[in-house]
Amino acid sequence: MSRIRFTRRLPAAVAAAGLALAVAACGGESSTSPEGTTVAKAELKANADLTQQSLQITVWEGYTPKELPEKAKEKLKVKDVKIGFHDTNETAMAKLTSSGDSGIDVAFVSGQYAQALNEQGLLEPIHPELIPNLANLYPEATQLAYDKGNKYSVPYTWGTTGICYRSDLVKTPPTSWNDILKPPAWADKKVTMMTTERWLALPALKALGYSVNSDNDQEIAKAKELLLAAKPHLLTYDDTTFGDKLKSGEALMVEAWDGWCPTSEKNIKFVLPKEGSDLWVDTMVIMKTSKNKEAAHALINYILDPEIHSWAAENINYKVPNKAAMERVQVPEGSLLGIKPAELLNGEVIVDLGPSSTKYTRLSSEVATQS
Protein backbone atom coordinates (compact mmCIF):
# COMPACT_ATOMS: atom_id res chain seq x y z
CA MET A 1 0.00 0.00 0.00
CA SER A 2 1.59 3.23 -1.09
CA ARG A 3 1.60 6.42 0.94
CA ILE A 4 1.62 9.87 -0.54
CA ARG A 5 1.53 13.41 0.68
CA PHE A 6 -1.21 15.93 0.25
CA THR A 7 -1.86 19.20 2.02
CA ARG A 8 -5.10 21.05 2.37
CA ARG A 9 -3.66 24.43 3.28
CA LEU A 10 -4.75 27.83 2.00
CA PRO A 11 -2.29 30.65 2.67
CA ALA A 12 -3.22 34.20 3.47
CA ALA A 13 -2.73 35.64 -0.01
CA VAL A 14 -5.00 33.12 -1.69
CA ALA A 15 -7.55 33.30 1.11
CA ALA A 16 -7.73 37.05 0.69
CA ALA A 17 -8.16 36.71 -3.07
CA GLY A 18 -10.88 34.13 -2.55
CA LEU A 19 -12.71 36.35 -0.09
CA ALA A 20 -12.62 39.24 -2.51
CA LEU A 21 -14.33 37.06 -5.07
CA ALA A 22 -16.75 35.69 -2.49
CA VAL A 23 -18.73 38.91 -2.39
CA ALA A 24 -21.09 37.65 -5.05
CA ALA A 25 -22.45 34.59 -3.22
CA CYS A 26 -25.06 32.72 -5.22
CA GLY A 27 -26.62 29.34 -5.97
CA GLY A 28 -29.77 27.68 -7.26
CA GLU A 29 -30.84 28.04 -10.84
CA SER A 30 -28.55 30.94 -11.66
CA SER A 31 -25.46 32.58 -10.27
CA THR A 32 -23.13 35.51 -10.71
CA SER A 33 -19.69 35.01 -12.20
CA PRO A 34 -16.59 36.80 -10.93
CA GLU A 35 -17.01 39.18 -13.87
CA GLY A 36 -20.46 40.11 -12.61
CA THR A 37 -22.47 38.42 -15.35
CA THR A 38 -25.44 36.24 -14.52
CA VAL A 39 -24.95 32.63 -15.52
CA ALA A 40 -27.99 30.38 -15.88
CA LYS A 41 -27.86 26.79 -14.70
CA ALA A 42 -26.91 24.71 -17.69
CA GLU A 43 -29.48 22.41 -19.27
CA LEU A 44 -27.64 19.17 -19.71
CA LYS A 45 -28.56 16.19 -21.84
CA ALA A 46 -28.33 12.66 -20.51
CA ASN A 47 -27.78 11.39 -24.05
CA ALA A 48 -25.24 14.00 -25.13
CA ASP A 49 -22.65 12.92 -27.70
CA LEU A 50 -19.57 12.61 -25.47
CA THR A 51 -17.32 11.88 -28.45
CA GLN A 52 -17.35 15.64 -29.03
CA GLN A 53 -16.26 16.48 -25.47
CA SER A 54 -12.84 16.44 -23.82
CA LEU A 55 -11.95 16.66 -20.13
CA GLN A 56 -9.30 18.57 -18.19
CA ILE A 57 -8.92 17.57 -14.54
CA THR A 58 -6.87 19.02 -11.67
CA VAL A 59 -6.11 16.71 -8.75
CA TRP A 60 -3.42 15.94 -6.21
CA GLU A 61 -0.72 13.79 -7.84
CA GLY A 62 -1.12 10.13 -6.90
CA TYR A 63 -4.70 10.69 -5.70
CA THR A 64 -6.28 8.77 -8.59
CA PRO A 65 -5.08 5.75 -10.60
CA LYS A 66 -2.34 6.60 -13.10
CA GLU A 67 -4.31 4.92 -15.86
CA LEU A 68 -7.46 6.95 -15.12
CA PRO A 69 -7.22 9.16 -18.27
CA GLU A 70 -6.85 6.22 -20.65
CA LYS A 71 -9.49 4.08 -18.97
CA ALA A 72 -11.99 6.92 -18.61
CA LYS A 73 -11.48 7.93 -22.23
CA GLU A 74 -12.17 4.37 -23.36
CA LYS A 75 -15.12 3.85 -21.00
CA LEU A 76 -16.83 7.20 -21.56
CA LYS A 77 -16.03 7.47 -25.29
CA VAL A 78 -14.91 11.06 -24.85
CA LYS A 79 -12.47 12.77 -27.20
CA ASP A 80 -9.71 13.09 -24.61
CA VAL A 81 -8.97 13.17 -20.87
CA LYS A 82 -6.04 15.16 -19.50
CA ILE A 83 -4.90 15.48 -15.89
CA GLY A 84 -2.99 18.37 -14.32
CA PHE A 85 -1.74 18.28 -10.75
CA HIS A 86 -1.84 20.59 -7.77
CA ASP A 87 0.11 19.95 -4.58
CA THR A 88 -2.13 21.92 -2.24
CA ASN A 89 -5.59 23.43 -2.06
CA GLU A 90 -4.07 26.87 -2.55
CA THR A 91 -2.52 25.81 -5.83
CA ALA A 92 -5.89 24.53 -6.99
CA MET A 93 -7.63 27.73 -5.88
CA ALA A 94 -5.07 29.81 -7.77
CA LYS A 95 -5.74 27.77 -10.90
CA LEU A 96 -9.51 28.03 -10.56
CA THR A 97 -9.83 31.70 -9.59
CA SER A 98 -7.02 33.46 -11.46
CA SER A 99 -8.96 33.87 -14.72
CA GLY A 100 -12.51 33.74 -16.03
CA ASP A 101 -12.01 30.33 -17.58
CA SER A 102 -9.35 28.06 -16.14
CA GLY A 103 -10.01 25.46 -18.83
CA ILE A 104 -10.57 22.95 -16.05
CA ASP A 105 -13.71 20.84 -16.13
CA VAL A 106 -13.38 18.80 -12.92
CA ALA A 107 -11.37 19.81 -9.85
CA PHE A 108 -10.54 17.94 -6.66
CA VAL A 109 -10.56 20.25 -3.60
CA SER A 110 -11.38 19.92 0.08
CA GLY A 111 -14.96 20.52 1.19
CA GLN A 112 -14.57 24.02 2.65
CA TYR A 113 -12.83 25.14 -0.57
CA ALA A 114 -15.65 23.69 -2.66
CA GLN A 115 -17.98 25.75 -0.48
CA ALA A 116 -15.90 28.89 -1.10
CA LEU A 117 -15.84 28.25 -4.87
CA ASN A 118 -19.60 27.80 -4.89
CA GLU A 119 -20.12 31.00 -2.95
CA GLN A 120 -18.10 32.72 -5.64
CA GLY A 121 -20.51 31.40 -8.28
CA LEU A 122 -17.82 29.29 -9.93
CA LEU A 123 -19.35 25.83 -9.63
CA GLU A 124 -21.90 24.07 -11.81
CA PRO A 125 -24.71 22.56 -9.72
CA ILE A 126 -24.51 18.78 -9.67
CA HIS A 127 -27.11 17.13 -11.91
CA PRO A 128 -27.85 13.91 -10.00
CA GLU A 129 -29.72 12.38 -12.95
CA LEU A 130 -26.37 12.22 -14.77
CA ILE A 131 -24.59 10.49 -11.87
CA PRO A 132 -26.58 7.35 -11.00
CA ASN A 133 -23.62 6.07 -8.97
CA LEU A 134 -24.41 8.71 -6.35
CA ALA A 135 -26.59 5.93 -4.98
CA ASN A 136 -23.38 4.18 -3.90
CA LEU A 137 -22.59 6.89 -1.34
CA TYR A 138 -23.22 6.32 2.33
CA PRO A 139 -26.33 8.25 3.43
CA GLU A 140 -24.08 10.18 5.82
CA ALA A 141 -22.08 11.46 2.84
CA THR A 142 -25.10 13.39 1.59
CA GLN A 143 -25.47 15.38 4.81
CA LEU A 144 -22.09 17.11 5.09
CA ALA A 145 -22.33 20.59 6.56
CA TYR A 146 -20.51 22.43 3.76
CA ASP A 147 -22.88 20.99 1.08
CA LYS A 148 -25.96 19.16 2.33
CA GLY A 149 -27.50 17.13 -0.48
CA ASN A 150 -24.34 17.23 -2.63
CA LYS A 151 -25.74 20.17 -4.56
CA TYR A 152 -22.41 21.36 -5.97
CA SER A 153 -19.82 18.78 -4.92
CA VAL A 154 -19.38 15.02 -4.70
CA PRO A 155 -17.25 13.62 -1.86
CA TYR A 156 -14.22 11.56 -2.91
CA THR A 157 -12.43 10.74 0.37
CA TRP A 158 -13.01 11.56 4.03
CA GLY A 159 -11.33 11.17 7.38
CA THR A 160 -10.45 12.87 10.63
CA THR A 161 -7.56 14.36 12.61
CA GLY A 162 -6.09 12.94 15.79
CA ILE A 163 -2.88 12.03 17.58
CA CYS A 164 -0.50 9.53 16.02
CA TYR A 165 2.05 8.14 18.48
CA ARG A 166 4.77 5.59 19.24
CA SER A 167 3.15 3.09 21.58
CA ASP A 168 6.53 1.57 22.48
CA LEU A 169 8.13 4.89 23.45
CA VAL A 170 5.41 6.85 25.24
CA LYS A 171 5.07 6.36 28.97
CA THR A 172 1.34 6.99 28.83
CA PRO A 173 -0.76 6.72 25.65
CA PRO A 174 -2.29 10.10 24.73
CA THR A 175 -6.02 10.60 25.23
CA SER A 176 -6.40 14.38 25.04
CA TRP A 177 -5.33 17.28 22.82
CA ASN A 178 -3.64 18.59 25.97
CA ASP A 179 -1.16 15.71 25.68
CA ILE A 180 0.46 17.51 22.74
CA LEU A 181 -0.39 21.07 23.81
CA LYS A 182 1.05 20.52 27.28
CA PRO A 183 3.34 17.51 26.81
CA PRO A 184 4.77 15.76 29.88
CA ALA A 185 8.50 16.15 30.56
CA TRP A 186 9.39 12.86 28.86
CA ALA A 187 7.79 14.11 25.61
CA ASP A 188 9.15 17.67 25.75
CA LYS A 189 10.33 18.73 22.25
CA LYS A 190 9.28 15.34 20.86
CA VAL A 191 5.85 16.48 19.69
CA THR A 192 4.79 18.02 16.36
CA MET A 193 1.70 19.97 15.36
CA MET A 194 0.37 21.06 11.99
CA THR A 195 0.93 24.58 10.73
CA THR A 196 -1.98 24.70 8.27
CA GLU A 197 -4.32 27.41 9.56
CA ARG A 198 -7.48 25.50 10.50
CA TRP A 199 -5.58 22.42 11.67
CA LEU A 200 -3.13 24.50 13.68
CA ALA A 201 -6.05 25.92 15.63
CA LEU A 202 -8.02 22.64 15.93
CA PRO A 203 -6.25 21.07 18.97
CA ALA A 204 -6.46 24.30 20.98
CA LEU A 205 -10.08 25.01 20.08
CA LYS A 206 -11.14 21.46 20.95
CA ALA A 207 -9.10 21.38 24.17
CA LEU A 208 -10.90 24.56 25.23
CA GLY A 209 -14.30 23.10 24.33
CA TYR A 210 -14.88 25.33 21.31
CA SER A 211 -16.01 24.60 17.76
CA VAL A 212 -13.39 24.09 15.03
CA ASN A 213 -15.51 26.60 13.08
CA SER A 214 -15.51 29.25 15.80
CA ASP A 215 -15.42 32.85 14.60
CA ASN A 216 -15.65 34.21 18.15
CA ASP A 217 -12.79 36.64 18.76
CA GLN A 218 -12.42 35.78 22.44
CA GLU A 219 -12.34 32.03 21.75
CA ILE A 220 -9.75 32.44 19.02
CA ALA A 221 -7.67 34.66 21.33
CA LYS A 222 -7.72 31.96 24.02
CA ALA A 223 -6.73 29.36 21.42
CA LYS A 224 -3.81 31.58 20.39
CA GLU A 225 -2.70 31.88 24.01
CA LEU A 226 -2.71 28.09 24.37
CA LEU A 227 -0.84 27.57 21.08
CA LEU A 228 1.85 30.09 22.06
CA ALA A 229 2.29 28.35 25.42
CA ALA A 230 2.72 25.03 23.61
CA LYS A 231 5.23 26.32 21.05
CA PRO A 232 8.43 26.07 23.20
CA HIS A 233 7.65 22.42 23.91
CA LEU A 234 7.27 21.31 20.28
CA LEU A 235 9.88 19.58 18.18
CA THR A 236 8.53 21.49 15.18
CA TYR A 237 5.45 22.28 13.11
CA ASP A 238 5.13 19.65 10.40
CA ASP A 239 2.37 19.00 7.87
CA THR A 240 4.15 16.46 5.71
CA THR A 241 6.90 14.38 7.34
CA PHE A 242 5.55 13.74 10.83
CA GLY A 243 5.07 10.04 10.00
CA ASP A 244 8.76 9.71 9.21
CA LYS A 245 9.66 11.48 12.45
CA LEU A 246 7.59 8.92 14.35
CA LYS A 247 9.20 6.01 12.53
CA SER A 248 12.69 7.27 13.40
CA GLY A 249 11.73 8.00 17.01
CA GLU A 250 12.57 11.69 16.61
CA ALA A 251 8.94 12.41 17.55
CA LEU A 252 6.80 10.47 20.03
CA MET A 253 3.40 12.12 19.41
CA VAL A 254 2.17 14.12 16.40
CA GLU A 255 -1.01 15.79 15.26
CA ALA A 256 -1.99 13.81 12.15
CA TRP A 257 -4.67 13.21 9.56
CA ASP A 258 -5.75 9.59 10.01
CA GLY A 259 -4.70 8.50 6.51
CA TRP A 260 -1.19 9.80 7.12
CA CYS A 261 -0.62 8.01 10.43
CA PRO A 262 1.56 5.01 9.45
CA THR A 263 -0.33 2.47 11.54
CA SER A 264 0.98 -0.31 9.31
CA GLU A 265 4.07 0.07 11.52
CA LYS A 266 3.75 -2.24 14.53
CA ASN A 267 4.37 0.39 17.21
CA ILE A 268 2.52 3.35 15.71
CA LYS A 269 -1.04 3.97 16.86
CA PHE A 270 -3.73 6.59 16.26
CA VAL A 271 -6.19 7.98 18.78
CA LEU A 272 -9.06 10.45 18.56
CA PRO A 273 -8.73 12.78 21.59
CA LYS A 274 -11.59 12.73 24.06
CA GLU A 275 -12.47 16.36 23.31
CA GLY A 276 -13.39 15.40 19.74
CA SER A 277 -12.04 16.39 16.35
CA ASP A 278 -13.01 17.22 12.78
CA LEU A 279 -14.37 15.45 9.73
CA TRP A 280 -12.42 16.50 6.64
CA VAL A 281 -13.69 15.71 3.14
CA ASP A 282 -12.02 15.95 -0.28
CA THR A 283 -14.48 16.48 -3.11
CA MET A 284 -14.97 16.56 -6.88
CA VAL A 285 -16.52 19.70 -8.38
CA ILE A 286 -17.46 20.81 -11.90
CA MET A 287 -16.54 24.32 -13.00
CA LYS A 288 -19.32 26.53 -14.33
CA THR A 289 -17.00 27.52 -17.17
CA SER A 290 -16.66 23.90 -18.31
CA LYS A 291 -17.74 23.37 -21.90
CA ASN A 292 -17.91 19.64 -21.29
CA LYS A 293 -20.38 19.39 -18.46
CA GLU A 294 -22.04 16.15 -19.55
CA ALA A 295 -18.62 14.49 -19.82
CA ALA A 296 -17.65 15.94 -16.44
CA HIS A 297 -20.71 14.35 -14.84
CA ALA A 298 -19.94 11.09 -16.65
CA LEU A 299 -16.40 11.15 -15.26
CA ILE A 300 -17.62 11.60 -11.67
CA ASN A 301 -20.11 8.79 -12.23
CA TYR A 302 -17.25 6.61 -13.51
CA ILE A 303 -15.10 7.41 -10.46
CA LEU A 304 -17.99 6.47 -8.16
CA ASP A 305 -18.02 3.00 -9.70
CA PRO A 306 -17.07 0.73 -6.77
CA GLU A 307 -14.22 -0.87 -8.72
CA ILE A 308 -12.67 2.52 -9.47
CA HIS A 309 -13.43 4.30 -6.20
CA SER A 310 -12.09 1.47 -4.01
CA TRP A 311 -8.65 2.24 -5.49
CA ALA A 312 -8.21 5.16 -3.07
CA ALA A 313 -8.72 2.99 0.01
CA GLU A 314 -6.55 0.20 -1.36
CA ASN A 315 -3.68 2.40 -2.54
CA ILE A 316 -3.56 5.60 -0.49
CA ASN A 317 -5.16 4.34 2.71
CA TYR A 318 -7.93 6.95 2.65
CA LYS A 319 -11.51 5.97 3.39
CA VAL A 320 -14.00 6.69 0.61
CA PRO A 321 -17.62 7.70 1.31
CA ASN A 322 -18.82 4.99 -1.07
CA LYS A 323 -20.50 2.06 0.68
CA ALA A 324 -20.32 -0.23 -2.34
CA ALA A 325 -16.61 0.57 -2.83
CA MET A 326 -15.68 0.08 0.83
CA GLU A 327 -17.43 -3.29 0.85
CA ARG A 328 -14.89 -4.42 -1.77
CA VAL A 329 -11.92 -3.43 0.42
CA GLN A 330 -10.28 -5.94 2.72
CA VAL A 331 -9.68 -3.92 5.89
CA PRO A 332 -6.85 -5.27 8.07
CA GLU A 333 -7.71 -5.63 11.73
CA GLY A 334 -7.11 -2.38 13.57
CA SER A 335 -6.74 -0.39 10.33
CA LEU A 336 -8.05 3.17 10.34
CA LEU A 337 -9.96 2.21 7.19
CA GLY A 338 -12.35 0.45 9.56
CA ILE A 339 -13.67 3.70 11.05
CA LYS A 340 -17.42 3.76 10.36
CA PRO A 341 -19.24 6.74 8.78
CA ALA A 342 -21.24 7.27 11.97
CA GLU A 343 -17.97 7.54 13.92
CA LEU A 344 -16.60 10.03 11.40
CA LEU A 345 -19.71 12.13 11.75
CA ASN A 346 -18.94 12.55 15.43
CA GLY A 347 -16.36 15.02 14.17
CA GLU A 348 -17.21 18.57 13.14
CA VAL A 349 -17.19 19.19 9.40
CA ILE A 350 -14.83 22.07 8.67
CA VAL A 351 -16.72 24.75 6.75
CA ASP A 352 -15.63 27.91 4.98
CA LEU A 353 -15.99 30.90 7.32
CA GLY A 354 -16.16 33.59 4.65
CA PRO A 355 -14.69 36.90 5.88
CA SER A 356 -13.94 35.35 9.29
CA SER A 357 -11.38 33.08 7.60
CA THR A 358 -8.87 35.91 7.96
CA LYS A 359 -9.02 35.46 11.74
CA TYR A 360 -7.32 32.10 11.28
CA THR A 361 -4.82 33.54 8.83
CA ARG A 362 -3.91 36.15 11.45
CA LEU A 363 -3.77 33.52 14.21
CA SER A 364 -1.43 31.35 12.15
CA SER A 365 0.83 34.29 11.34
CA GLU A 366 0.99 35.46 14.95
CA VAL A 367 1.79 31.99 16.28
CA ALA A 368 4.48 31.59 13.62
CA THR A 369 6.19 34.91 14.37
CA GLN A 370 5.90 35.13 18.15
CA SER A 371 8.23 33.27 20.44
Side-chain angles (χ1 to χ4, degrees):
M1 184 174 290
S2 64
R3 292 190 183 278
I4 51 179
R5 301 295 187 222
F6 313 106
T7 54
R8 300 182 173 82
R9 61 188 298 182
L10 181 68
V14 178
L19 288 169
L21 290 170
V23 173
C26 55
E29 295 299 307
S30 65
S31 59
T32 304
S33 74
E35 293 77 22
T37 56
T38 300
V39 182
K41 180 179 177 181
E43 294 185 5
L44 305 186
K45 300 175 181 177
N47 58 351
D49 181 5
L50 299 188
T51 63
Q52 301 304 308
Q53 298 190 21
S54 299
L55 287 171
Q56 178 70 50
I57 305 164
T58 184
V59 62
W60 290 278
E61 188 169 10
Y63 214 36
T64 56
K66 285 184 178 178
E67 63 275 19
L68 178 68
E70 294 78 12
K71 286 196 170 183
K73 179 181 176 182
E74 179 182 356
K75 179 72 175 180
L76 305 179
K77 309 299 183 189
V78 296
K79 190 185 299 182
D80 198 9
V81 178
K82 292 182 179 178
I83 289 188
F85 298 115
H86 54 258
D87 54 357
T88 61
N89 270 306
E90 70 264 27
T91 309
M93 293 292 277
K95 280 186 181 183
L96 300 172
T97 62
S98 61
S99 64
D101 183 359
S102 63
I104 293 169
D105 301 291
V106 177
F108 286 66
V109 293
S110 297
Q112 65 269 39
Y113 300 98
Q115 181 186 2
L117 288 170
N118 184 61
E119 289 172 350
Q120 294 168 30
L122 297 178
L123 297 186
E124 173 68 19
I126 294 297
H127 295 244
E129 70 276 14
L130 300 186
I131 311 179
N133 282 337
L134 284 171
N136 293 331
L137 295 178
Y138 289 105
E140 292 89 343
T142 68
Q143 297 301 315
L144 300 165
Y146 63 86
D147 182 20
K148 288 191 175 181
N150 307 128
K151 294 177 180 175
Y152 54 81
S153 66
V154 176
Y156 178 69
T157 55
W158 60 0
T160 188
T161 307
I163 299 175
C164 187
Y165 66 99
R166 282 286 300 261
S167 61
D168 58 328
L169 298 179
V170 299
K171 292 188 177 180
T172 306
T175 59
S176 164
W177 286 117
N178 283 317
D179 289 316
I180 60 172
L181 290 164
K182 302 173 183 176
W186 52 263
D188 195 47
K189 295 189 182 301
K190 293 187 176 180
V191 172
T192 73
M193 291 181 63
M194 293 181 186
T195 186
T196 305
E197 293 172 9
R198 301 296 295 277
W199 284 278
L200 167 68
L202 185 153
L205 289 171
K206 282 298 183 184
L208 291 165
Y210 303 146
S211 164
V212 296
N213 296 310
S214 174
D215 64 352
N216 180 288
D217 291 335
Q218 289 186 338
E219 293 180 356
I220 294 173
K222 288 183 179 178
K224 172 188 164 184
E225 185 178 335
L226 187 51
L227 290 170
L228 287 174
K231 190 174 179 180
H233 303 286
L234 300 180
L235 171 65
T236 186
Y237 294 102
D238 185 350
D239 288 16
T240 56
T241 63
F242 49 73
D244 294 333
K245 288 183 172 65
L246 278 177
K247 290 179 185 177
S248 70
E250 186 180 8
L252 302 184
M253 297 185 288
V254 300
E255 179 189 4
W257 291 305
D258 53 345
W260 287 26
C261 180
T263 53
S264 56
E265 299 283 325
K266 178 182 175 184
N267 294 317
I268 295 183
K269 310 294 183 187
F270 180 86
V271 65
L272 280 174
K274 61 185 180 184
E275 299 91 349
S277 188
D278 67 334
L279 164 58
W280 60 258
V281 186
D282 290 339
T283 75
M284 299 175 281
V285 298
I286 298 173
M287 303 308 296
K288 186 153 283 183
T289 50
S290 169
K291 301 175 180 63
N292 308 287
K293 293 186 176 68
E294 287 93 348
H297 282 80
L299 176 74
I300 292 176
N301 189 61
Y302 173 68
I303 290 174
L304 292 184
D305 182 292
E307 183 179 357
I308 306 302
H309 208 179
S310 58
W311 178 92
E314 293 170 342
N315 289 273
I316 61 175
N317 205 31
Y318 276 19
K319 294 172 289 299
V320 297
N322 184 321
K323 184 173 186 293
M326 287 303 294
E327 287 175 348
R328 294 174 58 93
V329 178
Q330 297 221 348
V331 179
E333 186 176 352
S335 167
L336 299 178
L337 289 173
I339 298 176
K340 304 298 183 187
E343 297 175 87
L344 281 177
L345 260 67
N346 287 331
E348 274 190 279
V349 177
I350 296 179
V351 300
D352 178 62
L353 296 174
S356 291
S357 296
T358 56
K359 297 179 181 179
Y360 286 90
T361 302
R362 186 164 55 248
L363 170 68
S364 176
S365 175
E366 290 173 349
V367 171
T369 56
Q370 292 185 29
S371 57

